[in-house]
Amino acid sequence: IEQLVSYSASADEADAQEQEQEQEQEPEPAREAEVVGSLVDVAGALGRMGGSPEVLAEVTEIFLDGYAEQFEELKAAVEAADMATSAKVAHRLKGELGTLGATEAFEAGQEIVTLARADDVDGAQRAFVRFTHEMDRVEPELVALSRGAIPES
């Protein structure tokens, strides 16, 4: 961004250019807070956390810490056509996602549960693809929430 004020002394111009370069190199403020809320029902999640942003951040962090392991367990079960384990793990994940307000990921998880309980292997595998897609979309918001980026109401 060009500075609107012109400086008469060359030292002042050099200082101004140096400040501009520093501003350009500084990381922009986290945009995570701007993103949160498009895929996460933050108000609902806060309500389930007693209105505490700190508790929501902590619970979200706990979820994220265990998510990769649970995801791999679900993936292995779906690929092995183990519908009992698929339903069990998907049920656990969708419950946690529901608590966090990740509605679309919750619904995708519920679809796996329903299809796995019906012993519909092909359906559960398709639902897992959708679940993976929804988690890829919502995970950045969950990471932002875990860091305390909660939008103001």
Side-chain angles (χ1 to χ4, degrees):
I1 300 174
E2 298 279 332
Q3 289 198 357
L4 300 176
V5 179
S6 62
Y7 296 97
S8 57
S10 63
D12 288 339
E13 288 176 5
D15 286 344
Q17 287 178 348
E18 187 175 305
Q19 287 177 348
E20 269 185 36
Q21 289 174 348
E22 287 175 4
Q23 288 175 347
E24 289 174 5
Q25 292 174 356
E26 288 178 19
E28 291 185 30
R31 295 181 186 264
E32 295 163 336
E34 296 172 9
V35 174
V36 174
S38 64
L39 296 173
V40 174
D41 173 11
V42 177
L46 277 170
R48 287 183 285 282
M49 304 297 155
S52 172
E54 294 81 14
V55 172
L56 177 56
E58 186 175 341
V59 169
T60 305
E61 184 175 357
I62 291 167
F63 168 77
L64 291 169
D65 286 347
Y67 169 67
E69 184 178 326
Q70 290 186 81
F71 178 84
E72 289 304 319
E73 184 180 1
L74 178 59
K75 179 180 178 183
V78 169
E79 289 175 351
D82 178 350
M83 294 295 99
T85 302
S86 296
K88 177 182 155 191
V89 177
H91 186 268
R92 184 172 58 233
L93 280 167
K94 68 106 180 161
E96 293 167 354
L97 290 163
T99 299
L100 296 173
T103 308
E104 293 179 36
F106 166 87
E107 290 171 359
Q110 179 59 53
E111 185 178 6
I112 296 171
V113 172
T114 300
L115 294 166
R117 285 181 178 165
D119 206 29
D120 182 348
V121 174
D122 291 336
Q125 290 172 340
R126 284 190 305 275
F128 177 75
V129 171
R130 176 178 171 232
F131 177 78
T132 301
H133 172 74
E134 294 302 337
M135 285 305 301
D136 287 345
R137 291 178 59 221
V138 77
E139 192 169 10
E141 287 193 31
L142 295 174
V143 169
L145 282 176
S146 76
R147 294 179 180 163
I150 298 175
E152 294 181 22
S153 302

